[in-house]
Amino acid sequence: MRSIIAFDIETTGLDPDLDSIIEIGAVRFKGDRVEAEWSNLINPGRSLPPFITQLTGITDEMLGAAPRITQVLPELEAFIGEDPILGHNVRFDLSFMQRRGLFEFNAALDTYDLASVLMPSAGRYGLSALASALAVPVRSAHRALDDAHTTRQIYLKLFEQALQIPVPILEEITRLGEELEWGAGMIFDDAYRERGSPLERHTLELFKAPTKPKRSGFNPVKLTPINKDEVAAIFEPAGDLNRQLAGYEHRPQQVSMATAVAEAFNQKKHLLVEAGTGTGKSIAYLVPAFLWAEQNQQRVVISTNTLNLQDQLIHKDVPDLNDALSKEFDAAILKGRGNYLCPRRFNALRSLGPRNPEEMRVLAKLLLWLAQGGSGERSELNLPMGEMAVWSRLSAEDDDCSLEACASHTGGRCPYYKARLAADSAHVIVINHALLLADIATGSRVIPEYDYLIVDEAHHLESATTQGLSFKVSEFEVKRVLRDLGSSRRGLLRQIVDLARRTLPPSERAKVEDVIATTAERVEECTSGASVLFERLKDMLENQRDGKPVGPYGQQLRILPSTRTLPDWESVEIAWENFREPLATIASALSDLADGLESLQPTEGEPASTLAVAMRIVRRSLAEIYTQMENMIFEPDPMVIYWIELSSQESRLTLHAAPLEVGPLVERHLWHEKEAVVMTSATLTTGGEFDFIRRRLFADDADELALGSPFDYETSTLLYLISDIPEPVERSKYQRAVEVGLTQLLKATDGRGLVLFTSNQQLQLTARAIAEPLAKAGIHVYEQSRGASRHALLEGFRQSENAVLLGTRSFWEGVDVPGPALSVLAIVRLPFDVPSDPIIAARAETYESPFDQYMVPEAILRFRQGFGRLIRTRADRGVVAIFDRRLLSKSYGAAFVESLPRCTVRQGPLADLPQAAQRWLNL
């Protein structure tokens, strides 16, 4: 057993080139015995950022007498020597060391990698979260020596888990990683050596056979209307829901919605329903949906925007409804193919082997997860960003794969195939908006046939459709696909050559080698052509900004008819002309090679079959790149928005395409084709009218129903409109007023606030200004820009007694913190879209008065969503403070206020806000 060094550092920031180390901790251990420890504070030669002091507890005073980094490194180097270094996200810690020439050749072990494999479904992989999950006591988080001890203990716990892995899985993980350096490789090697080889070889069944569906499907009979009175009776005070569900409250709005949905189904009508917060709209539409499906043998599809709502429907609302009504209504979740693991692709990567640490980590994670009974559905896994890219190459995202072919290839064991079987027999199928539109795009080949649809969170339908039908590609991504293909000496092409040499007679082998050689030449031409094309595009952007540096928000340029007349555009066309021919040749050659491989050796799991799968993946990627770029440069569609974007930090250029309008798609494939469509949300109206959403979704003929919230906002909510704050156009004065006002307000209310921003930059400026004074008042600041996950930020905020959460766009929705923990909501600026955004600009141009008819209604809908974060139950009480005087000074301001429920509204100076909030909250 070897000695290992558990290692951790604290720094002034995340960049090893710009930031400094302020503390180092190291623990040498062997097994469960600590042999020695070493630690030191380091003087960075500069003042600490306030948030670092808040995070670590380390102050400038503590570092004043500490040594400089150069004084302690020789002692640290002697302590660690050549021993393996263990850390949590150890590459971060080593990047600061290796910049100074230390520990470049020490083996690196990472508890993050190890936990990612051994705990594939863990919610978080942060050090504190893992310590909690593994019952490891934490001394002081974010102090180097204490974190090193915590890392050591987590490692020991995880190594014990590694020893429990079935030996065939442990053996395969070891074999797959033997040619790669990754953070858990040595650890699994040690575990395998300690377990020893099995006496008998056996193969684990990773993909389970499908279970028999509850029913064979639906056989529609003559339609019988459902009884609206019976529907209403279920919700009445003496009804089934009240008798069976604890805490159930009778809400007239819920009854009205349920009967309206029933009437829409009965009469084959379309309906728009706005149901305010607290209505209970999911149960309101589930009751008539299930009754209709059961009575008429007609499946109903429910589409949502978020996974949280899907989980609520499947795991809470449907079981509650079955209990209350003594029924066995069956609901199934069906997600896009990209959410399911493809056995063929997975086995192909197992056969071909991983090419980088991310692929190795994901392979090991999936092997263990499946061996432990994992379903093959992505939601069961925690897949960080790098791992998501690998998952996308292993998922069932293959439109060419029919259910029949899937059943043939995998014996029905494909997770997507099993999900489709369950959906086929369910009364209600729960999907998301992206899948709803994917079904449209593929000619209704994704979702089982249906005629009755409910769209919840319908205010997101346009943006979800836009995202689902958009295209984005960078030079890096083009070259990555080409690099996967390789040449006759490496990559997939090399593997085909090796296979041909093993299995084909000389004459056939020579033909294959000729095709591979020609394709490899085209790959080189494409790689060079991609470099030239993206360089020409960068030149064009640089000329558009007259050689000035890229701004903090990057640069975007729409490709309009006027763009095509620029002098630089001709060079772009020439570069694409030179790139497109070899690209098309490769795509055609790959299709032929894949066909040849499948006919050569069609046995599932054999090298030829796995290579054919990999070939088709690459061909599909290249074909999409060709089609999109051909349209963008030579054959633009007037109903598509095209633009070029250059990031500010990485200077990475990307090409984009998105639909101009989604309304025509919704009209043609939903309003016209489905018998009844119900669209609902808490926010569908602006100014009390459905006109805006009708225009966006082409919902001209739908009936409408607007239901207020059952909450008494006039009693529960104070809406404070600040009358003397500078307007946002006066940037420095406005920002200073925001900082001072928020600090005083949140001190007065002991935190307990959510502050909503419209830009990350302003959020960061404000966080830096208010963090220290609030910390002195005992109020913890959680800010979205700090890199923590949304879930982690919300959990931290919920569990803190006196805290404030600063968030941008994603926090305007989906935040549900009932009770006094969230008593103050501050909206810093009205949430207008950036008018220069290519999609916003293009869509605004379709209106006679873009600002009034498009920008204002969009902002009102988002404003209403933000307002809805505060009052979540009848017992809640709170203050909404608007730090944007345009509500009072601009003609459109009244429309924002009038769109809200009737609150107690007060106008007053910024200085009076803290006291007004205290009085309202009875503090």
Side-chain angles (χ1 to χ4, degrees), residues 490-562:
R490 60 178 177 80
L492 291 175
L493 296 180
R494 168 59 186 270
Q495 291 173 321
I496 293 176
V497 170
D498 290 345
L499 179 65
R501 288 172 179 170
R502 292 196 307 268
T503 60
L504 295 178
S507 60
E508 295 297 318
R509 183 192 316 156
K511 292 179 183 178
V512 171
E513 289 178 347
D514 286 344
V515 172
I516 295 299
T518 301
T519 305
E521 290 176 4
R522 296 292 178 267
V523 169
E524 289 186 12
E525 291 178 28
C526 273
T527 303
S528 174
S531 297
V532 173
L533 174 63
F534 280 86
E535 193 61 38
R536 296 294 174 268
L537 290 165
K538 282 186 179 180
D539 290 343
M540 184 170 70
L541 290 181
E542 183 176 3
N543 290 334
Q544 287 296 299
R545 60 178 191 272
D546 294 326
K548 296 176 183 177
V550 181
Y553 297 106
Q555 182 184 5
Q556 294 174 322
L557 178 67
R558 281 174 64 195
I559 303 176
L560 300 167
S562 58

Side-chain angles (χ1 to χ4, degrees), residues 361-398:
R361 189 165 63 241
V362 173
L363 264 181
K365 174 183 287 194
L366 296 182
L367 281 166
L368 186 59
W369 173 56
L370 293 169
Q372 293 172 340
S375 70
E377 205 275 293
R378 188 180 69 188
S379 67
E380 296 180 6
L381 295 171
N382 183 343
L383 293 171
M385 188 65 69
E387 295 181 7
M388 275 300 301
V390 180
W391 172 275
S392 68
R393 300 196 288 275
L394 299 177
S395 74
E397 192 72 71
D398 185 351

Side-chain angles (χ1 to χ4, degrees), residues 304-315:
T304 76
N305 187 61
T306 60
L307 292 177
N308 286 343
L309 182 53
Q310 288 186 341
D311 289 341
Q312 175 192 314
L313 292 172
I314 291 293
H315 301 300

Side-chain angles (χ1 to χ4, degrees), residues 98 145 197 546 763 791:
Q98 291 169 355
L145 185 61
S197 300
D546 294 326
L763 185 152
H791 173 79

Side-chain angles (χ1 to χ4, degrees), residues 797-815:
F797 175 69
R798 286 191 182 102
Q799 294 170 14
S800 299
E801 287 189 11
N802 301 319
V804 57
L805 174 59
L806 313 184
T808 53
R809 288 299 177 89
S810 66
F811 282 85
W812 287 71
E813 297 187 41
V815 174

Side-chain angles (χ1 to χ4, degrees), residues 664-876:
L665 283 172
V666 176
E667 179 184 47
R668 182 164 66 252
H669 296 284
L670 297 183
W671 303 127
H672 287 176
E673 289 191 5
K674 304 307 175 187
E675 298 288 0
V677 177
V678 176
M679 293 196 181
T680 185
S681 167
T683 54
L684 287 182
T685 65
T686 58
E689 304 292 339
F690 287 86
D691 296 353
F692 180 69
I693 203 74
R694 285 186 185 278
R695 161 78 189 263
R696 301 310 309 161
L697 299 179
F698 281 40
D700 295 334
D701 298 327
D703 292 342
E704 62 186 48
L705 176 64
L707 298 167
S709 170
F711 297 157
D712 182 359
Y713 282 94
E714 198 161 8
T715 300
S716 68
T717 307
L718 171 66
L719 177 64
Y720 193 96
L721 308 180
I722 302 171
S723 59
D724 62 349
I725 191 169
E727 294 196 7
V729 70
E730 303 177 75
R731 291 190 178 184
S732 59
K733 292 182 180 179
Y734 171 68
Q735 179 60 26
R736 178 62 182 156
V738 167
E739 294 166 1
V740 172
L742 283 174
T743 301
Q744 297 305 317
L745 170 64
L746 294 167
K747 280 183 177 179
T749 61
D750 296 324
R752 302 193 297 169
L754 170 65
V755 185
L756 297 178
F757 294 83
T758 58
S759 83
N760 286 317
Q761 185 182 42
Q762 188 181 18
L763 185 152
Q764 291 166 19
L765 285 172
T766 307
R768 285 198 292 268
I770 71 175
E772 189 171 357
L774 290 181
K776 290 178 179 178
I779 299 167
H780 187 78
V781 176
Y782 293 90
E783 57 168 299
Q784 187 176 358
S785 58
R786 284 288 305 281
S789 70
R790 186 178 189 276
H791 173 79
L793 287 170
L794 278 172
E795 284 304 303
F797 175 69
R798 286 191 182 102
Q799 294 170 14
S800 299
E801 287 189 11
N802 301 319
V804 57
L805 174 59
L806 313 184
T808 53
R809 288 299 177 89
S810 66
F811 282 85
W812 287 71
E813 297 187 41
V815 174
D816 189 3
V817 184
L822 177 49
S823 299
V824 177
L825 172 70
I827 294 179
V828 175
R829 289 183 70 163
L830 299 180
F832 285 105
D833 285 312
V834 178
S836 60
D837 177 274
I839 294 177
I840 300 303
R843 289 177 175 169
E845 289 168 2
T846 64
Y847 288 85
E848 290 183 8
S849 179
F851 183 77
D852 293 331
Q853 295 176 312
Y854 181 66
M855 303 293 288
V856 169
E858 280 279 10
I860 287 175
L861 290 177
R862 196 171 294 117
F863 180 74
R864 296 183 63 203
Q865 283 289 332
F867 175 87
R869 297 315 94 213
L870 183 64
I871 303 299
R872 307 303 299 173
T873 72
R874 289 182 186 269
D876 286 352

